[in-house]
């Protein structure tokens, strides 16, 4: 309890709200299975690392090649309990791959009937004390896999392609884990059997990866998800009924909402990008708009990241735009703090991390211009750029984990040259 009080006093309501979400997850077993167990790292989809790296000039540790585009972002966990982490990532060659995190050796692959764009989630979904991998495919199927072998424990069929990335959590507070995913509707599946606990039907499909947090302060979890109908929804975790919806006026495609105390008032807000409109900040309790940043030329498939990147005591929202730029916005009012131009679209979602160990945050983000960028969190200036051999567009978002156990983070990134790359110091 003393530790929680300390963290709340130092870091404020934003982290406290996320911690309460994790407290609920802990009822089903291991919530902190690795540094990066799901898309955007945590249930609030903040895209912010909690460890640091030592990378000032990235060097390739290993690479592995599939037979299709790698637009899925990696999840990391000790899938087989051997004390070593595995990297799990999907490919357009219709497979999900699990690689040894130290060497890149293939441990298993799971074959679907169509592209795997969705990013996997790792957790103990069925309460057996071992890790499972949850994944969806464009073939409309959703599966929970045995982390040791990659074999399906259960599979369910939805009515639309699955572009959304799942989360594993005790969403309804019954002490057992569920798996939540978007497709033609939002589904909550019982973790042990795959039985449907509830569904929510938006006006159009929900491709957005759902975030999970207690956004309205009632000590119960909500599922926050966007839809192609342009609405951001807050769903009751127990029933799946909408508590509120907010109309952005543009399609919310592949972007995950990010949850945090953006304006420092001790209450949670949600940041989300909306196609041909811009970036919205929405009140977690009521669904009312708090601020808006206009960026209305293109789609916005990038998910926002949340963190105090310039150490001014106020959180920022960092997001990629298909106007070929990355922006950092004040969490308090949406004011532009910096703008970094890239050479092409930015569909990749940025991550916030002290990647070089200097005590200051950097932003890592990729672009269709084939580059992975490390940007100074204070100024947005480029610190370094990395491009793989025979590079193609980079749509995947970076993931971060200490794969070799040396206490420093490595970078995992997919490329549309069919490769998966691990970068270290």
């Amino acid at each position: 309890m003393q530790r929680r009080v300390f963290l709340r006093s130092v870091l404020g309501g934003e982290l406290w709200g996320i911690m309460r979400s994790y407290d609920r997850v802990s009822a089903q077993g291991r919530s902190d299975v690795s540094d990066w167990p799901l898309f955007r790292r945590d249930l609030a989809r903040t895209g912010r690392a909690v460890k640091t790296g030592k990378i000032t000039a990235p060097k390739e540790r290993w690479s592995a090649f599939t037979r299709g585009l790698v637009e899925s972002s990696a999840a990391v966990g000790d899938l087989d309990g051997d004390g070593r982490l595995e990297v799990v990532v999907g490919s357009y060659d219709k497979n999900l791959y699990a690689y040894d995190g130290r060497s890149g050796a293939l441990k298993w692959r799971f074959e679907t009937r169509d592209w795997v764009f969705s990013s996997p989630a790792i957790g103990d979904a069925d309460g057996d004390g071992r890790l499972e991998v949850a994944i969806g495919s464009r073939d409309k199927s959703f599966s929970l896999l045995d982390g040791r072998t990659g074999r399906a424990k259960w599979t369910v069929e939805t009515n639309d392609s699955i572009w959304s990335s799942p989360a594993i959590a005790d969403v309804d507070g019954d002490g057992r884990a569920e798996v939540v995913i978007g497709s033609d509707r939002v589904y909550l599946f019982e973790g042990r059997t795959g039985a449907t606990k509830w569904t929510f039907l938006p006006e159009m499909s929900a491709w957005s990866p759902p975030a999970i947090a207690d956004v309205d302060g009632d000590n119960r979890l909500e599922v926050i998800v966007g839809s192609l109908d342009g609405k951001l929804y807050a769903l009751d975790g127990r029933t799946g009924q909408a508590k509120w919806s907010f109309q952005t006026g543009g399609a919310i495609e592949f972007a995950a909402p990010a949850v945090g105390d953006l304006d420092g008032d001790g209450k949670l807000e949600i940041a989300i990008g909306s196609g041909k409109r811009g970036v919205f900040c929405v009140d977690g309790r009521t669904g009312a708009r708090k601020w808006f940043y206009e960026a209305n030329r293109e789609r916005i498939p990038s998910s926002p990241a949340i963190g105090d990147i310039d150490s001014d005591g106020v959180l920022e929202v960092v997001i990629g735009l298909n106007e070929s730029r990355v922006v950092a916005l004040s969490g308090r009012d949406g004011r532009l703090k910096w703008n970094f131009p890239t050479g092409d679209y930015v569909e990749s979602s940025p991550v916030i991390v002290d990647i070089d160990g200097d005590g200051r945050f950097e932003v890592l983000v990729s672009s269709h211009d084939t580059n992975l960028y490390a940007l100074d969190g204070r100024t947005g200036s480029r610190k370094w750029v990395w491009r793989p051999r025979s590079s193609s567009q980079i749509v995947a978002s970076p993931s971060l984990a200490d794969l070799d156990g040396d206490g420093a983070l490595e970078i995992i990134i997919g490329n549309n040259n069919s490769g998966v790359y691990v970068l270290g110091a």
Side-chain angles (χ1 to χ4, degrees), residues 139-204:
D139 66 8
K140 305 181 184 180
S141 70
F142 184 77
S143 298
L144 186 76
L145 312 179
D146 186 306
R148 297 166 300 165
T149 65
R151 298 190 185 97
K153 290 192 163 187
W154 50 257
T155 298
V156 294
E157 298 292 326
T158 66
N159 296 312
D160 193 9
S161 299
I162 298 178
W163 303 93
S164 174
S165 298
I168 299 172
D170 178 14
V171 176
D172 60 7
D174 67 352
R176 296 187 295 270
E178 291 83 36
V179 186
V180 60
I181 187 69
S183 178
D184 60 303
R185 62 192 69 203
V186 184
Y187 293 85
L188 187 74
F189 297 119
E190 208 276 335
R192 290 176 298 174
T193 65
T196 301
K197 300 194 82 169
W198 55 252
T199 67
F200 172 78
L201 182 63
E203 295 173 20
M204 297 178 69

Side-chain angles (χ1 to χ4, degrees), residues 34 36-37 62 64 70 72-80 84-90 96-109 120 122 133 147 399-404 410-414 420-423:
S34 85
W36 211 273
W62 59 259
V70 181
S72 170
S73 297
V76 179
D78 180 6
L79 299 181
D80 52 12
R84 296 162 62 108
L85 294 175
E86 283 75 44
V87 172
V88 190
V89 66
L96 183 75
Y97 294 88
Y99 299 104
D100 182 279
R102 295 189 184 217
S103 68
L106 180 66
K107 303 203 79 167
W108 53 254
R109 68 182 178 90
I122 297 172
V133 179
S399 302
L400 300 161
D402 178 11
L403 296 177
D404 57 10
E410 282 78 45
I411 303 168
I412 309 111
I413 185 72
V420 181
Y421 297 84
V422 168
L423 311 177

Side-chain angles (χ1 to χ4, degrees), residues 298-368:
E298 299 286 351
R299 323 162 36 233
I300 305 181
S302 178
S303 304
I306 296 175
D308 182 7
I309 57 175
D310 56 7
S311 302
D312 66 349
V314 178
L315 294 175
E316 283 76 42
V317 175
V318 188
I319 191 168
L321 303 176
N322 271 8
E323 302 167 2
S324 303
R325 60 192 179 109
V326 181
V327 296
L329 310 173
S330 169
R332 183 171 292 156
D333 56 16
R335 174 177 52 88
L336 180 67
K337 303 198 83 168
W338 53 252
N339 175 80
F340 176 79
T342 64
D344 209 333
Y345 292 158
V346 182
E347 295 195 55
S348 170
S349 300
V351 301
I352 296 171
V353 58
D354 178 6
I355 197 59
D356 55 13
D358 67 352
R360 299 176 179 177
F361 279 123
E362 286 77 40
V363 173
L364 302 182
V365 66
S366 302
S367 168
H368 279 220

Side-chain angles (χ1 to χ4, degrees), residues 38 42 52 54 59 116-117 178 183 212 237 268 287 299 306 314 330 350 392 406 419 424:
L38 75 166
D42 53 41
T52 62
K54 298 179 181 178
K59 298 187 183 299
V116 181
F117 171 86
E178 291 83 36
S183 178
I212 301 171
L268 296 179
R299 323 162 36 233
I306 296 175
V314 178
S330 169
S392 184
D406 68 352

